[in-house]
């Protein structure tokens, strides 16, 4: 089956007992056993739940993986990966990344003896130079958040796997979604998702997921999912499953709207810079064209006039709502250094090349004329304080 067909059907045959075409929401914490340890695949709701199983099978199919694991949030999914490490292990991580991931690594797992180095993952040499004998994971976001840089998944996978120490490549595929990019096909070992974003797609649920191909890796992560217990509820799983059914059509429109807006903004005299891998002027365009089906729905930009003006801009839009998060049907605007990335210290942000004035757009599915007019009006309105 092809992508859109899988999005609608994978893991979700009609309910055998009733014929219900939608996966039932199994609000049951426990399941009756025929004899101790003998059951129909479900014993206790933390270990497994049928609605969750449907979601896990579905996401695994979309990522061209063999196994999916659903979590209560993107950060819970990330935590399970990091919990597979031991004190003294080392992670090499792309330096432009979601603030919550940075915080999780530096404020939580660092206390348990996990070492992290942040590098410019667009440079293969920088990634190679950061590897140590105790490196166990290379962690990438591509396109990255919020600078929308693109790194070469296949080349970094090769780098990871040529070392004898068994380095795993983890790719956070939240920004691209499996419709635009399938990291496991390019050699990644683990795909991470915040299903809160494009997979859910309607800003109504918090969730996370992991997808792998390797059976032993799956068993290790499944053990952690059950032993630590950061699992999503059945209703949350249902909401993500329902969102995924329209993932392909939504992504096509997100990408089309974002490309048009990025071109419009890049030609605007009051716009200082636009980061969007779909622009032919982007240094990441060639690699993105090789690695991705299209360029996504996220744009970062900076207006002329510094932080003050860009701050005003974020409060002058009417359609673009000032809010954290991304990937929903409605357009959002935010200032990463004060919002999604506030947990990254200023010094680290500067090293990663994240300007304080950078504005991030999550381009929704509204009519492109309305989105363009909204930004144009807000650019004009933000001229004066
Ligand atoms: C939002 C986000 C996360 C964290 O996911 P939650 O569902 O908010 O826990 C991780 N990575 C990226 C790229 C994100 O955008």
């Amino acid at each position: 089956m092809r992508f859109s067909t899988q999005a609608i059907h994978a893991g979700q045959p009609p309910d055998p007992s009733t014929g219900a075409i939608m996966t039932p929401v199994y609000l049951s914490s426990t399941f009756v056993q025929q004899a101790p340890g003998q059951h129909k695949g479900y014993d206790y709701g933390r270990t497994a739940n049928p609605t969750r199983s449907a979601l896990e099978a579905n996401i695994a199919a979309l990522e061209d993986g063999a196994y999916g694991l659903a979590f209560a949030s993107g950060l819970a999914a990330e935590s399970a990966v990091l919990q597979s490490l031991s004190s003294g292990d080392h992670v090499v991580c792309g330096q432009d990344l979601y603030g919550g991931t940075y915080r999780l690594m530096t404020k939580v797992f660092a206390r348990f003896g996990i070492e992290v180095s942040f590098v410019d993952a667009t440079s293969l040499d920088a990634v190679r130079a950061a590897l140590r004998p105790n490196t166990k994971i290379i962690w990438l976001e591509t396109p990255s958040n919020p600078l929308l840089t693109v790194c070469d998944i296949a080349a970094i996978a090769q780098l990871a796997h040529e070392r004898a120490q068994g380095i795993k490549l983890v790719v956070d595929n939240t920004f691209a979604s499996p419709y635009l990019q399938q990291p496991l096909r390019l050699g990644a070992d683990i795909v991470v998702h915040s299903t809160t974003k494009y997979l859910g797609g309607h800003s109504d649920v918090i969730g996370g997921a992991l997808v792998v191909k390797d059976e032993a890796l799956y068993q290790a992560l499944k053990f952690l999912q059950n032993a630590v217990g950061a699992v999503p509820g059945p209703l949350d799983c249902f909401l993500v499953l329902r969102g995924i059914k329209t993932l392909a059509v939504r992504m096509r429109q997100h990408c089309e709207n974002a490309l048009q807006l990025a071109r419009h903004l890049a030609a605007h005299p009051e716009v200082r810079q636009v980061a969007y891998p779909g622009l032919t002027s982007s240094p990441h365009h060639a690699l993105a064209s090789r690695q991705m089906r299209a360029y996504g729905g996220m744009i970062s930009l900076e207006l002329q006039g510094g932080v003050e003006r860009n701050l005003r801009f974020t409060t002058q839009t009417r359609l673009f709502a000032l809010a954290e998060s991304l990937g929903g049907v409605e357009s959002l605007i935010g200032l990463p250094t004060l919002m999604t990335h506030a947990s990254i210290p200023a010094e680290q942000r500067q090293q990663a090349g994240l300007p304080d004035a950078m504005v991030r757009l999550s381009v929704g599915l509204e009519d492109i004329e309305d989105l363009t007019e909204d930004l144009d009006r807000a650019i004009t309105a933000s001229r004066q304080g």
Side-chain angles (χ1 to χ4, degrees):
M1 288 194 295
R2 292 163 184 82
F3 190 89
S4 300
T5 313
Q6 283 193 325
I8 294 164
H9 296 288
Q12 306 163 83
D15 181 47
S17 58
T18 63
I21 198 153
M22 289 300 292
T23 307
V25 182
Y26 287 91
L27 288 168
S28 192
S29 61
T30 192
F31 299 83
V32 176
Q33 310 196 4
Q34 287 79 57
Q38 259 182 50
H39 51 75
K40 298 175 175 169
Y42 298 96
D43 54 359
Y44 184 60
R46 169 164 34 73
T47 314
N49 170 285
T51 316
R52 196 173 98 208
S53 299
L55 174 62
E56 293 175 334
N58 182 264
I59 296 183
L62 296 190
E63 285 289 0
D64 198 31
Y67 308 98
L69 291 159
F71 290 86
S73 68
L75 284 177
E78 295 185 10
S79 296
V81 174
L82 296 170
Q83 283 153 2
S84 72
L85 300 176
S86 300
S87 176
D89 287 346
H90 175 241
V91 178
V92 172
C93 186
Q95 67 188 2
D96 181 38
L97 81 168
Y98 175 62
T101 306
Y102 178 87
R103 182 177 58 195
L104 181 67
M105 290 182 181
T106 58
K107 293 274 168 37
V108 180
F109 283 91
R111 287 195 288 109
F112 295 91
I114 309 290
E115 300 165 17
V116 191
S117 306
F118 295 97
V119 302
D120 174 6
T122 63
S123 156
L124 215 51
D125 289 337
V127 176
R128 191 185 293 110
L131 297 179
R132 301 182 194 159
N134 59 338
T135 304
K136 292 291 161 60
I137 281 178
I138 300 175
W139 190 292
L140 305 177
E141 266 184 39
T142 180
S144 69
N145 181 2
L147 294 174
L148 301 166
T149 64
V150 175
C151 51
D152 191 332
I153 298 173
I156 297 175
Q158 200 181 354
L159 195 66
H161 298 150
E162 72 195 15
R163 300 285 165 124
Q165 68 215 58
I167 301 176
K168 301 264 186 285
L169 175 60
V170 179
V171 176
D172 183 334
N173 205 26
T174 300
F175 264 42
S177 90
Y179 178 72
L180 297 182
Q181 161 180 293
Q182 291 166 306
L184 297 178
R185 281 199 179 172
L186 299 169
D189 299 288
I190 303 176
V191 167
V192 175
H193 275 288
S194 168
T195 57
T196 313
K197 316 294 169 53
Y198 288 108
L199 292 176
H202 296 76
S203 310
D204 53 9
V205 63
I206 298 284
L210 301 176
V211 183
V212 300
K213 277 193 154 149
D214 180 72
E215 152 92 31
L217 186 54
Y218 168 68
Q219 292 301 343
L221 293 168
K222 166 115 189 103
F223 170 81
L224 288 164
Q225 182 196 40
N226 183 52
V228 179
V231 295
L235 184 58
D236 289 351
C237 294
F238 175 88
L239 288 171
V240 177
L241 270 174
R242 187 170 72 165
I244 287 175
K245 286 181 192 288
T246 55
L247 179 65
V249 284
R250 282 188 289 107
M251 288 315 294
R252 284 198 283 273
Q253 194 64 43
H254 280 299
C255 292
E256 194 183 311
N257 280 359
L259 181 60
Q260 286 202 46
L261 268 189
R263 286 180 177 152
H264 177 77
L265 290 167
H268 197 294
E270 291 170 55
V271 175
R272 185 160 174 261
Q273 57 163 331
V274 178
Y276 186 69
L279 293 175
T280 49
S281 57
S282 162
H284 305 286
H285 185 67
L287 178 56
S289 303
R290 259 202 337 267
Q291 192 166 274
M292 303 173 70
R293 193 202 287 250
Y295 308 98
M298 301 299 295
I299 299 173
S300 289
L301 77 146
E302 198 186 326
L303 302 184
Q304 308 280 9
V307 181
E308 289 307 314
R309 178 170 191 197
N310 282 279
L311 253 177
R312 282 199 300 274
F313 173 54
T314 62
T315 62
Q316 297 288 352
T317 52
R318 293 180 195 158
L319 206 45
F320 279 84
L322 179 61
E324 311 245 350
S325 199
L326 62 113
V329 293
E330 58 287 290
S331 293
L332 303 180
I333 188 167
L335 198 98
T337 55
L338 294 181
M339 298 169 73
T340 49
H341 290 63
S343 51
I344 302 181
E347 193 184 314
Q348 174 72 30
R349 291 200 304 258
Q350 266 148 30
Q351 194 194 316
L354 172 53
D356 286 344
M358 181 74 92
V359 172
R360 194 185 78 175
L361 304 177
S362 174
V363 181
L365 306 184
E366 300 92 339
D367 287 301
I368 185 66
E369 295 83 358
D370 291 329
L371 294 176
T372 309
E373 282 167 22
D374 190 41
L375 291 184
D376 282 350
R377 189 169 16 74
I379 290 172
T380 304
S382 66
R383 280 181 191 149
Q384 255 108 49

